[in-house]
Amino acid sequence: MKFALYLGSFKNVKVFIHWTFSLLLLWIIISNSRQGMPAMDILWIVVFVLALFACVVMHEFGHALAAQRYGIQTKDIVLYPIGGVARLEKLPEDPKQELWVAIAGPLVNIILFAILSGVLGFTGFDLQNLEEIKISPQTIIPYLASANLILAIFNLIPAFPMDGGRILRAFLAIKLPRAKATQIAGGIGQFLAMFFILFGLFNNPILMLIGIFIFLGAAAEVSHTQQESFLKGFKVQDALMQKFQIIGIDAPLSKAVEKLLNSQATHFVVVKDDVAVGTLSRDEIILGLKEGGESALVENFANLTPMKVETFEDLNEVWRKMAAEKRKVALVVENGHFLGILDQENIAEFVMVKSAMNRP
Ligand SMILES: [Zn+2]
């Protein structure tokens, strides 16, 4: 994770905090001290914000641990100033599992609310203390309790891809195909996001940011789910490219440049003694030219640990893996024999062709 500070891990899930978070704390400190707030009061606000984000981490762990029960790992949890994100390696396809994974986050906030309210009942807290908005050792727990309730309610708004939207999608997907369910939930999400943006524009810039985030997130997930539903049932061999350009591992980059300019290819298969050993992309060629010039060898700039996939592998899974590892191309083998390449762009083309033909 770039630009993020590693905080620690629990049950194999790493937690990071994004650098922009420091801006939030800095803003709290500077804006309040300019208004002449005593240092001790500012300190309590900072403590409150940190405690609130600890609750957000627990919310994300709710999702991560629920997913773990279904054998789905979480790459990491990253905290941003507008909230946390648990990056699951994939989402459960079974609607009932998705329902549990989505609901587990807000459920954590409801439990935290119950516990914190319980503490308040125990100490005989007087709600009149909250009349003046000021965080202090006496008021921090009631504020945290209400913040957890707000977090739970806010996340349950059915604006896909927020938790409430995922719950809605899961309910719809029990009866409808997943792509259709996503389309409906995404549409409702975008509609609600517009309200967030409009309302936020005049009242609260953070709400506006969240609205934009929901709007773009909904669009991305709808197209992603559509792509997945088109790829369903296909194998790697269906999208295999058997025409490709090769380049010798001991060739100079000038040779690669020549091939690049004379063909449509943006990727080359690197061969050594007639065996495919790696890939060389346009970006790698450009980097090589910058660092070593035209006479630099392919060997020094090619990717010699390429992703290798078998012809019988599920195209959807492979596509997902390539996206997760940011691989644009993979070598396809069958019983150890190299057959051709699989190219992300080519998979996208494959989807376009299949959807145009309206696959039976
Ligand atoms: Zn959540």
Side-chain angles (χ1 to χ4, degrees), residues 21 70 96 115 124 142 177 227 305 307-308 314:
F21 196 82
Y70 302 119
K96 287 192 196 98
I115 293 173
Q227 190 140 3
T305 50
M307 183 183 225
K308 284 186 182 164
D314 186 73

Side-chain angles (χ1 to χ4, degrees), residues 24-286:
L24 176 70
L25 293 181
L26 222 66
W27 178 74
I28 291 172
I29 294 169
I30 292 171
S31 67
N32 283 315
S33 52
R34 283 179 79 186
Q35 286 173 21
M37 189 184 269
M40 206 56 199
D41 292 357
I42 298 176
L43 182 71
W44 276 107
I45 298 180
V46 170
V47 170
F48 173 75
V49 170
L50 294 177
L52 182 60
F53 273 80
C55 296
V56 171
V57 171
M58 287 189 256
H59 169 114
E60 298 304 330
F61 265 105
H63 295 305
L65 298 184
Q68 236 170 36
R69 268 193 46 193
Y70 302 119
I72 296 168
Q73 291 305 316
T74 300
K75 265 178 282 177
D76 50 37
I77 290 173
V78 188
L79 281 175
Y80 298 94
I82 59 166
V85 177
R87 291 199 303 166
L88 273 59
E89 62 179 6
K90 63 176 182 180
L91 289 173
E93 289 201 12
D94 177 356
K96 287 192 196 98
Q97 294 185 359
E98 178 171 39
L99 194 67
W100 277 113
V101 172
I103 236 169
L107 205 59
V108 167
N109 295 116
I110 292 172
I111 293 169
L112 284 170
F113 168 72
I115 293 173
L116 292 170
S117 312
V119 171
L120 286 179
F122 187 68
T123 55
F125 182 79
D126 182 5
L127 274 177
Q128 299 217 310
N129 281 359
L130 283 184
E131 275 179 0
E132 177 199 12
I133 296 181
K134 186 183 165 196
I135 293 166
S136 66
Q138 288 80 42
T139 59
I140 191 164
I141 291 190
Y143 275 122
L144 264 184
S146 25
N148 271 289
L149 189 62
I150 293 169
L151 272 180
I153 294 170
F154 185 73
N155 276 291
L156 287 172
I157 296 174
F160 190 77
M162 285 198 342
D163 297 335
R166 292 194 184 285
I167 293 167
L168 173 69
R169 197 255 302 260
F171 270 121
L172 291 171
I174 293 173
K175 284 266 170 346
L176 297 167
R178 190 176 156 85
K180 186 81 198 156
T182 309
Q183 211 174 10
I184 297 172
I188 295 173
Q190 290 196 318
F191 182 72
L192 290 171
M194 307 257 253
F195 275 104
F196 279 32
I197 295 170
L198 272 178
F199 184 79
L201 198 60
F202 300 108
N203 299 290
N204 185 339
I206 290 183
L207 203 59
M208 192 177 78
L209 270 183
I210 292 174
I212 294 171
F213 163 80
I214 291 171
F215 193 91
L216 298 177
E221 280 223 25
V222 170
S223 86
H224 182 90
T225 313
Q226 259 166 354
Q227 190 140 3
E228 273 194 353
S229 81
F230 281 124
L231 289 178
K232 203 160 220 160
F234 288 103
K235 304 281 173 213
V236 165
Q237 65 187 26
D238 296 314
L240 167 71
M241 282 168 74
Q242 280 179 305
K243 282 199 182 127
F244 49 85
Q245 298 271 341
I246 59 169
I247 183 116
I249 193 164
D250 48 5
L253 282 179
S254 56
K255 188 101 184 164
V257 172
E258 200 184 304
K259 284 181 184 244
L260 187 69
L261 297 177
N262 281 322
S263 73
Q264 293 279 325
T266 54
H267 284 98
F268 300 97
V269 174
V270 177
V271 294
K272 183 182 183 181
D273 305 326
D274 287 333
V275 177
V277 291
T279 56
L280 181 70
S281 69
R282 184 167 55 194
D283 293 347
E284 283 157 353
I285 295 172
I286 303 292

Side-chain angles (χ1 to χ4, degrees), residues 352-360:
M352 280 192 275
V353 170
K354 288 292 160 193
S355 59
M357 284 165 49
N358 229 342
R359 180 187 156 209

